[in-house]
Amino acid sequence: MRTDTSWGTLPAREHLPVEVTDAPVLDVTIPVYNEEQDLEPCVRRLHDHLARTFPYSFRITIADNASTDRTADVAAWLDSSIPEVRSYRLEEKGRGRALRTVWSHSDSPVLAYMDVDLSTDLNALLPLVAPLISGHSDLAIGSRLARSSRVVRGPKREFISRAYNLILKSSLSARFSDAQCGFKAIRGDVAQRLLPMVEDTGWFFDTEMLVLAERAGLRIHEVPVDWVDDPDSTVHIVKTATEDLKGVWRVGRALAVGALPLDRLSRPFGEDPRDRRINGVPGGLARQLVGFCVVGALSTLFYLLLYSLFRTMAGPQLANAGALLVSAIANTAANRRLTFGVQGRAGAVRHQAQGLAVFAVGLALTSGSLAALDAATSTPSHSTELAVLIAANLASTVLRFLLLRAWVFPERRTDGSGTHAAGPDATGSDFTADATATATDDTAVLYSRNAR
């Protein structure tokens, strides 16, 4: 996998050029394991369909997952006899490993995959990839659970599929309807950045890829499909379900602590309606103001609760300092993640130190207000103290926002190559090493393309 990409924001989506290029527009990967009987008829059926109906150039890539039968020989024969077919041989099993390896080395701008049994009606292939070619979407998935889909399968698999998607919606807040349908596509530029973040090498690969893409704000297009269950499927349901649940826990934990550099997948301002520029307002300011106000309101409530608690044990100045310190740490962490979109642990200590400096400004204002109140009346009521503190906090809010935006979390700028020239590092310090190690593993198991 490539790890030398400049990690600025993704460029704006554009329609793929119509002129003929050396690389095929679409690369369809078929991961297989011990499919010597079904491989040839399925590949020839897919090739015939694409040759008759697909208006762009295409390639079919067979990814052999360490088969122990004659699958490799059949794949080599198809590679040598059909110009649009090529084959890869991997010495380790895993559908996710096969897809990540083949996609990472593909030169096509649109990448897709489907199961070798062709359970999904091939008429859905062009609607699947069309939004990616046009630049409308980043990923596309076939959905067996859409209302207009037509599905033939047993009640056991139907229950498992719906239960799994319910788990995803409740635990990871997933909004896509079908994670495991073996019929998906992704733009090549998105895959280049997204694949190094996906750790799973088995059946959970699809789900992890979709969850990360959705959390990063990428657009996922869903296509209703006609789908017929393969009664001879070799998938081990219990083992697969167990691994999937482990994957849900791992991804959920990573998202909760902000360990994934999802900012690498962000689109330029203007793609998201929430980021549209307002005349006279710097880009992103409107959304940041909304986030800051929400965080500020919650922080103020938290501060007042802490002040009331500390006031029962200490005087007003000590109670104010303690409540403001605790709430300032929570406020900086919340604004870092929610208002300014900084993820990962890199720079967190520095941000908290700068946040404490901003806290000192608020402490001076609120302490000065309490001192002025004490000078005005020797025995102010608790409600009066709270009113003065609220007024002082409101007065420091504008200054706090300006300091956070301009000093603590400055807007990231890019140099000519698209790399960050300034601003907080949200990528996490250990990610590149992990991606490099993964790339080494994948490259080691990838055999060169069979000679024609």
Side-chain angles (χ1 to χ4, degrees):
M1 266 175 267
R2 294 185 58 181
T3 58
D4 58 347
T5 305
S6 297
W7 297 116
T9 58
L10 280 166
R13 289 184 295 264
E14 295 181 353
H15 196 298
L16 296 179
V18 297
E19 62 268 14
V20 177
T21 61
D22 293 335
V25 171
L26 173 65
D27 190 348
V28 182
T29 301
I30 303 178
V32 293
Y33 175 73
N34 289 349
E35 298 285 355
E36 61 179 357
Q37 297 297 327
D38 295 335
L39 180 57
E40 181 174 357
C42 289
V43 168
R44 291 193 179 277
R45 177 185 163 196
L46 174 60
H47 179 269
D48 177 69
H49 177 84
L50 288 170
R52 288 186 298 104
T53 66
F54 194 68
Y56 295 90
S57 57
F58 65 88
R59 176 196 297 140
I60 300 173
T61 301
I62 304 169
D64 179 15
N65 288 254
S67 295
T68 57
D69 61 1
R70 294 185 57 257
T71 296
D73 297 333
V74 176
W77 163 250
L78 293 169
D79 185 304
S80 62
S81 59
I82 304 177
E84 291 82 11
V85 175
R86 68 174 179 177
S87 64
Y88 277 135
R89 165 76 177 181
L90 292 93
E91 290 303 314
E92 292 185 75
K93 291 178 60 177
R95 182 180 68 170
R97 176 180 286 108
L99 292 176
R100 185 172 61 189
T101 303
V102 172
W103 282 356
S104 297
H105 291 81
S106 178
D107 54 357
S108 296
V110 177
L111 310 169
Y113 95 89
M114 60 182 63
D115 294 333
V116 68
D117 55 23
L118 301 187
S119 295
T120 304
D121 182 14
L122 293 178
N123 287 327
L125 182 55
L126 183 55
L128 181 80
V129 301
L132 309 186
I133 294 174
S134 69
H136 175 271
S137 300
D138 299 293
L139 298 90
I141 64 173
S143 175
R144 299 163 297 184
L145 302 181
R147 290 187 177 182
S148 57
S149 297
R150 295 187 297 177
V151 177
V152 178
R153 63 175 168 179
K156 180 180 179 180
R157 285 185 175 272
E158 180 75 11
F159 172 77
I160 292 175
S161 180
R162 292 188 178 275
Y164 179 65
N165 282 281
L166 180 61
I167 291 173
L168 295 181
K169 292 180 183 295
S170 59
S171 61
L172 298 178
S173 301
R175 295 190 298 273
F176 46 86
S177 65
D178 191 352
Q180 289 289 14
C181 181
F183 195 70
K184 295 182 175 68
I186 184 173
R187 284 181 64 101
D189 56 346
V190 175
Q192 187 181 56
R193 301 195 185 197
L194 179 56
L195 295 183
M197 303 183 195
V198 181
E199 294 184 17
D200 192 80
T201 58
W203 292 94
F204 187 69
F205 174 88
D206 303 52
T207 301
E208 185 171 358
M209 179 179 67
L210 291 174
V211 169
L212 298 186
E214 187 175 75
R215 286 300 185 93
L218 299 180
R219 183 175 294 155
I220 302 174
H221 178 71
E222 295 197 15
V223 178
V225 297
D226 297 342
W227 192 85
V228 179
D229 189 18
D230 178 15
D232 298 324
S233 174
T234 58
V235 178
H236 300 286
I237 296 178
V238 175
K239 180 181 179 181
T240 301
T242 301
E243 294 300 320
D244 285 349
L245 292 177
K246 292 180 180 178
V248 169
W249 168 257
R250 174 177 55 79
V251 172
R253 182 178 179 276
L255 291 172
V257 301
L260 296 169
L262 298 181
D263 62 318
R264 296 182 178 182
L265 302 173
S266 61
R267 288 290 186 185
F269 287 147
E271 285 286 304
D272 191 325
R274 294 170 299 178
D275 293 325
R276 288 175 182 165
R277 294 185 179 275
I278 302 174
N279 291 334
V281 179
L285 179 58
R287 186 180 59 177
Q288 290 177 358
L289 279 172
V290 173
F292 181 79
C293 290
V294 172
V295 172
L298 295 177
S299 297
T300 300
L301 291 176
F302 183 50
Y303 161 77
L304 293 176
L305 288 174
L306 288 176
Y307 178 80
S308 298
L309 176 63
F310 294 162
R311 189 66 177 85
T312 62
M313 300 176 287
Q317 293 288 2
L318 188 58
N320 173 63
L324 200 57
L325 175 62
V326 176
S327 61
I329 294 174
N331 180 277
T332 300
N335 276 312
R336 181 179 188 268
R337 176 67 178 86
L338 301 177
T339 303
F340 298 98
V342 180
Q343 304 178 38
R345 295 182 293 273
V349 175
R350 174 172 57 84
H351 295 154
Q352 282 292 352
Q354 292 173 309
L356 290 177
V358 177
F359 147 78
V361 176
L363 178 63
L365 288 173
T366 53
S367 297
S369 299
L370 287 174
L373 177 63
D374 186 64
T377 174
S378 58
T379 56
S381 65
H382 182 63
S383 58
T384 302
E385 287 181 352
L386 290 180
V388 169
L389 288 174
I390 291 174
N393 272 286
L394 290 175
S396 66
T397 295
V398 175
L399 180 59
R400 186 184 307 119
F401 176 75
L402 293 176
L403 287 174
L404 288 176
R405 179 178 168 85
W407 180 47
V408 184
F409 307 109
E411 183 177 355
R412 285 171 290 181
R413 301 185 301 273
T414 58
D415 57 22
S417 64
T419 57
H420 295 309
D425 180 5
T427 61
S429 59
D430 57 347
F431 180 77
T432 302
D434 294 341
T436 304
T438 304
T440 303
D441 294 339
D442 283 346
T443 304
V445 301
L446 176 63
Y447 278 37
S448 63
R449 181 182 175 184
N450 296 327
R452 295 197 179 278

